[in-house]
């Protein structure tokens, strides 16, 4: 039986820098936390267990990246150059670029290639402390290719120390073979693709891109109805490029999350609050496409809507594999506080996956998933850009990543 006491740490057990414990300890047995509290109160039952000294590190729950498109073929650096020359995201999409160019590359790639490329994107996220991640499909847009993407996502979860949650995003864009027949494609998504993928155990949730270059409210509602008939939770890409009522529709279906939200209005915010739907902000996409319309952070705060942050890792609008850098963008671009940013990648992000009982907190009875940070203050997590901060990443009580470079772990003097 594997037993260990992790000691000499400063504990932020719920991802809230205002709720911390200095000089704490964690007792872990068979991969689960069995006790946590001040070191001087360690029960005698655990006194003889092997010790692991974290040298005063700050310890938080493993991070959660609750919105990614991690599995895809190719890249879109050429489109990046077009945008630098003045073309808009929508203009590129209407020329046959955008999502459809990635669909072509993804359909052509085999599973081994997709796995290799996705793994290269996943590894730096794990090294930054990510212990749970959502991976969407949506670059296949036919049954065989969507299945291929979701199989790769599941395999990543089997072969890497990270919990993978898969989301079916068949309603991401209109594939070329259905040009001019959007309703017929929604039939395909709802009546053929979704049932087959559910039967194969490949879907945890269902998403839809509800936007003027995506799918209408009525088409999105059809996708949601099909998902609910199969016992699946839903989420939505909403209000990214225009105000169209997508978030209110998502809330009506008690969606796990509504994501992007730059054009969200007060009625939509109120609907999210009533439905207990998480607002997922994606600042790296905002940054990358040079958006200027800010999400309504003051309204989200006023209504006390939980706010999560995610990388939105994808080839067209957010080619980032750093959740810490995304936290920095959330603070600098959207004006989140450091505390809001940390909660946005722990407890609130876990809720956006429908997995708040598994991720986003450290507590007795849960799997021992946590990160020991080489920082003096938790405000450093969104402060530094490009600096490795995770000294130890622990999953199920076992170290899955350790960074031994640099100075010894600091004393952890404050949380502000």
């Amino acid at each position: 039986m594997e037993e260990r006491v992790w000691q000499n740490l400063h504990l932020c057990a719920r991802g809230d820098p205002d709720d911390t414990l200095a000089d704490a300890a964690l007792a872990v047995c068979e991969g689960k936390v069995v006790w946590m509290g001040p070191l001087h109160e360690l029960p005698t039952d655990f006194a003889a267990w092997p010790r692991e000294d974290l040298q005063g590190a700050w310890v938080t729950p493993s991070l959660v990246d609750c919105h990614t498109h991690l599995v895809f073929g190719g890249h879109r650096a050429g489109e990046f150059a077009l945008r630098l020359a003045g073309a808009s995201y929508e203009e590129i999409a209407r020329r046959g670029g955008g999502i459809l160019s990635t669909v072509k590359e993804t359909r052509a790639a085999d599973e081994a290639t997709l796995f290799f490329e996705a793994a290269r994107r996943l590894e730096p996220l794990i090294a930054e402390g990510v212990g749970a991640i959502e991976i969407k499909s949506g670059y296949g847009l036919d049954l065989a290719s969507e299945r291929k993407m979701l199989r790769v996502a599941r395999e990543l979860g089997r072969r890497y120390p990270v919990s993978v949650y898969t989301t079916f995003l068949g309603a991401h864009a209109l594939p070329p073979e259905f040009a001019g027949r959007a309703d017929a494609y929604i039939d395909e998504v709802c009546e053929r693709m979704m049932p087959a993928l559910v039967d194969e155990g490949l879907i945890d949730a269902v998403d839809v891109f509800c936007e003027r270059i995506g799918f209408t409210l009525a088409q999105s509602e059809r996708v949601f109805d099909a998902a609910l008939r199969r016992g699946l939770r839903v989420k939505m890409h909403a209000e990214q490029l225009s105000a169209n009522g997508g978030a209110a529709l998502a809330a009506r279906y008690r969606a796990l999350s509504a994501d992007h939200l730059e054009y969200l209005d007060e009625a939509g915010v109120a609907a999210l609050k009533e439905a207990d739907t998480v607002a997922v902000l994606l600042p790296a996409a905002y940054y990358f496409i040079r958006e200027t319309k800010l999400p309504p952070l003051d309204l989200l705060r006023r209504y006390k809507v939980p706010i999560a942050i995610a990388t939105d890792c994808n080839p067209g609008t957010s080619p980032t594999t750093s959740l810490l850098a995304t936290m920095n963008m959330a603070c600098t671009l959207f004006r989140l506080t450091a505390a809001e940013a940390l909660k946005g990648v722990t407890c609130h992000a876990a809720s956006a996956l429908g997995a708040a009982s598994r991720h986003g907190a450290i507590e007795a009875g849960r799997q021992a998933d946590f990160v020991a940070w080489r920082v003096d203050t938790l405000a450093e997590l969104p402060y530094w850009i490009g600096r490795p901060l995770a000294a130890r990443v622990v999953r199920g009580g076992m170290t899955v990543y350790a960074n031994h470079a640099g100075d010894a772990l600091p004393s952890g003097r404050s949380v502000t």
Side-chain angles (χ1 to χ4, degrees), residues 212-234:
R212 59 195 177 204
I213 60 170
F215 295 93
T216 67
L217 290 170
Q219 291 161 348
S220 301
E221 191 165 4
R222 290 177 58 199
V223 174
F224 282 178
D225 285 336
L228 266 58
R229 285 196 299 271
R230 290 165 179 83
L232 296 167
R233 300 293 302 273
V234 299

Side-chain angles (χ1 to χ4, degrees), residues 354-375:
S357 63
R358 291 189 58 196
H359 306 291
I362 303 168
E363 61 183 44
R366 289 199 189 198
Q367 184 168 297
D369 297 343
F370 57 86
V371 188
W373 300 100
R374 185 181 280 110
V375 295

